[in-house]
Amino acid sequence: MPLPPIQDHRFTEAPEAPAPIEINKAAARTRDELLKHAARGSLRGLAEVANLNPDFKSNLGGQSHDRFWDLLRRTGVDPNLKLRELFEQPAGLREIDGERWYVWPDLAAKDAADLIPEKLDFQERRRLEELIGEDGIARIRAGEGYPGIRTAISEEGAWIYYVLGQDGEE
């Protein structure tokens, strides 16, 4: 007579969410400085922080950061508000050429192959759809990386990029 099956407790426990990424002090200082400028609505203040990193990216057109962001604001996209909303999202961690970057939102830190909705848990899938919509998900399925608004700060506290997910951006 066969023995009854042994209960595996892994299948009866609720799944655990991954621990949130704790950003270091240098990155936190930069984030707080950016939030201060964004709360005041200061595109010039954001541009001053961006200009501390000569490799900072905000657009592919070669415009100055504050000029580009001002153009966006005049067309109805408020870069200050969008940045504040980004920092309300959890941070992700990405390693680029041996350098660690904190990326907002955390989903933007994932490789394109890991962003396919079927590879995400239910909550991540719902957040991804809220952040980038069906068009963005179609772009991911076509092999693109995260197509939405995102920002990154290096472990050393340098602001790396702040892109608004416009066509033609990478």
Side-chain angles (χ1 to χ4, degrees):
M1 188 164 158
L3 295 173
I6 298 174
Q7 188 80 335
D8 190 338
H9 297 286
R10 294 176 301 170
F11 299 121
T12 59
E13 296 175 0
E16 291 183 28
I21 300 291
E22 293 288 328
I23 67 172
N24 69 8
K25 289 180 182 179
R29 275 193 303 273
T30 300
R31 181 203 56 204
D32 293 347
E33 183 178 2
L34 293 169
L35 281 169
K36 179 183 71 170
H37 293 301
R40 288 193 322 229
S42 175
L43 296 178
R44 181 169 286 140
L46 292 179
E48 288 172 2
V49 177
N51 290 332
L52 294 174
N53 176 3
D55 295 326
F56 179 85
K57 299 287 184 248
S58 66
N59 67 90
L60 295 177
Q63 289 182 319
S64 68
H65 309 302
D66 55 344
R67 181 176 246 166
F68 176 70
W69 293 327
D70 183 54
L71 175 65
L72 287 174
R73 183 167 48 189
R74 286 185 278 135
T75 60
V77 177
D78 183 351
N80 289 302
L81 175 62
K82 295 290 186 186
L83 189 61
R84 291 192 318 263
E85 290 172 352
L86 271 180
F87 285 134
E88 290 173 2
Q89 298 284 327
L93 191 59
R94 186 160 180 105
E95 191 165 322
I96 306 290
D97 297 329
E99 192 176 336
R100 291 166 45 115
W101 295 355
Y102 298 103
V103 180
W104 288 265
D106 58 337
L107 293 171
K110 292 184 178 283
D111 290 324
D114 295 328
L115 271 176
I116 296 170
E118 291 76 20
K119 291 187 175 184
L120 302 174
D121 67 33
F122 177 76
Q123 291 177 339
E124 288 176 324
R125 198 174 319 154
R126 189 184 82 233
R127 280 186 49 235
L128 183 66
E129 188 172 330
E130 289 171 359
L131 290 166
I132 62 172
E134 287 299 322
D135 290 341
I137 290 173
R139 290 172 66 180
I140 287 170
R141 288 187 191 284
E144 292 184 36
Y146 183 85
I149 182 173
R150 57 208 179 274
T151 194
I153 300 172
S154 75
E155 231 176 11
E156 290 77 30
W159 196 19
I160 305 297
Y161 61 78
Y162 174 40
V163 294
L164 296 166
Q166 306 295 312
D167 287 340
E169 288 181 346
E170 296 179 6

